[in-house]
Amino acid sequence: MQALKLELKTKIIDALNLEDINIEDINDDDSLFGDGLGLDSIDALELIVMLDKDYGIKLVDPKEGKNIFQSIETMATYISANRTK
């Protein structure tokens, strides 16, 4: 699971062009939106695309995405349980 968390941090930084943030700056339990990493709704769309492309997970319910994208920890847990790739 630790490898997946590291992979997610790297992919988020690359996909969202977070040039001022390093992997070490993101804690597993940090909020990805709001006061945490500060992502917005456009970033959420990018994360949805990443889940589909990289892990074969299709999100259809926006409320589901809100729960999944709380933190790196919640994303990794969901991906581990639902990935098809």
Side-chain angles (χ1 to χ4, degrees):
M1 182 88 112
Q2 198 58 37
L4 177 57
K5 291 177 190 176
L6 186 62
E7 179 181 311
L8 282 171
K9 291 175 187 180
T10 302
K11 287 180 184 240
I12 287 171
I13 290 170
D14 291 344
L16 304 179
N17 297 317
L18 304 176
E19 299 166 352
D20 297 338
I21 297 178
N22 296 315
I23 292 171
E24 301 81 27
D25 297 333
I26 306 172
N27 294 316
D28 294 347
D29 294 321
D30 284 352
S31 175
L32 297 180
F33 295 87
D35 292 337
L37 203 52
L39 302 184
D40 60 23
S41 59
I42 302 296
D43 298 324
L45 293 175
E46 290 287 336
L47 294 178
I48 290 169
V49 170
M50 180 186 74
L51 284 183
D52 185 16
K53 185 178 82 167
D54 296 343
Y55 304 105
I57 297 172
K58 295 188 185 303
L59 295 183
V60 291
D61 183 0
K63 292 176 188 164
E64 188 179 33
K66 189 173 184 178
N67 293 329
I68 295 165
F69 299 141
Q70 289 179 20
S71 67
I72 294 295
E73 183 73 37
T74 57
M75 284 184 71
T77 300
Y78 186 83
I79 290 169
S80 293
N82 296 284
R83 72 188 306 171
T84 60
K85 291 184 182 180

